[in-house]
Amino acid sequence: MKLNKINSKSATSLILSAAIALILTGCGSTKTPEAIPSQSATPSASPSNPYGAAPIDPPALTDPLLTVSKGSTSSVLTMAQLIALGTSDISINEPFVKQRQTFTVIPLTTIFALASISGSDSVDTKALNDYVYTNTAAKFVEAKGYLAIKRNGLDIPFDQGGPIRIVFPDDSTWTKFLDPWNWSLSSISVK
Ligand SMILES: Nc1nc2c(c(=O)[nH]1)N[C@H]1C(S)=C(S)[C@@H](COP(=O)(O)O)O[C@H]1N2
Ligand SMILES: [Mo]
């Protein structure tokens, strides 16, 4: 069930959210060279962009990227902390650009465990553009959901659905059900 879809096509909204997030986290012009990830990302600014946004600098390894919460339990994770959870690489058919791509992923079960999210918990996945997709933890697990943090070995640019997004493998029950494929994810929360 989808609760809310605000300005899904609005590049402005995503850029503003990302810019605000960057300002709030104090990076940008104050970023030190050491804080910039060594890997460069895929060049952006394709004329037809299925994720509907414009180019923006990638986050540093130490920038907060994902909030995981259930009730009063809440953690905020950086890219470095996400990588430390343990990743694997999976090849999937990406349904928006319709290409086979390799994603570096963390099982959603691992993310859910950070806040003891499971079973009938109603999980809100929210993006930087305020798009929200909600379903039970059990459904996300049944669909073998993953949090993707890299694509083809590189950081995923903001305007290409990054820096982090939810993906499903080719044998998932949700391969062709696109609502849960929440890109530019900012939080996973249970009230
Ligand atoms: N972050 C984010 N993810 C999103 C969306 C969105 O607007 N923002 N739209 C979802 C929906 S409802 C569908 S059908 C697919 C395609 O969205 P679109 O048809 O709005 O491009 O992406 C999904 N993931
Ligand atoms: Mo949709």
Side-chain angles (χ1 to χ4, degrees):
M1 70 203 114
K2 182 162 46 173
L3 288 188
N4 186 10
K5 184 172 184 177
I6 303 169
N7 293 335
S8 69
K9 299 278 197 280
S10 167
T12 312
S13 165
L14 178 55
I15 294 162
L16 278 177
S17 306
I20 290 164
L22 290 171
I23 290 162
L24 288 175
T25 58
C27 74
S29 59
T30 59
K31 202 186 282 175
T32 61
E34 305 77 55
I36 298 167
S38 56
Q39 281 179 320
S40 59
T42 312
S44 304
S46 123
S48 58
N49 183 337
Y51 313 110
I56 189 164
D57 283 347
L61 280 169
T62 50
D63 289 338
L65 292 187
L66 178 69
T67 302
V68 183
S69 66
K70 178 175 170 178
S72 56
T73 306
S74 181
S75 5
V76 182
L77 294 117
T78 64
M79 179 59 84
Q81 290 169 321
L82 288 169
I83 290 168
L85 291 174
T87 63
S88 58
D89 284 3
I90 59 167
S91 168
I92 63 168
N93 278 312
E94 207 282 359
F96 303 103
V97 293
K98 298 181 176 61
Q99 281 171 14
R100 179 151 291 280
Q101 298 180 327
T102 298
F103 287 91
T104 300
V105 296
I106 300 156
L108 282 183
T109 49
T110 302
I111 305 291
F112 287 175
L114 298 170
S116 303
I117 295 169
S118 68
S120 60
D121 285 345
S122 180
V123 180
D124 295 329
T125 65
K126 187 177 181 183
L128 291 171
N129 70 344
D130 288 340
Y131 173 81
V132 176
Y133 176 78
T134 304
N135 212 321
T136 62
K139 285 289 182 188
F140 281 101
V141 173
E142 181 190 309
K144 305 179 193 168
Y146 289 98
L147 179 73
I149 63 170
K150 285 178 190 289
R151 183 187 62 198
N152 298 332
L154 302 172
D155 289 335
I156 311 169
F158 277 105
D159 70 317
Q160 291 174 36
I164 57 172
R165 56 181 291 191
I166 294 176
V167 299
F168 299 91
D170 294 350
D171 64 350
S172 168
T173 47
W174 285 352
T175 38
K176 293 196 165 62
F177 173 44
L178 300 185
D179 292 14
W181 290 69
N182 202 335
W183 63 73
S184 295
L185 190 71
S186 62
S187 68
I188 288 178
S189 62
V190 175
K191 287 179 182 89

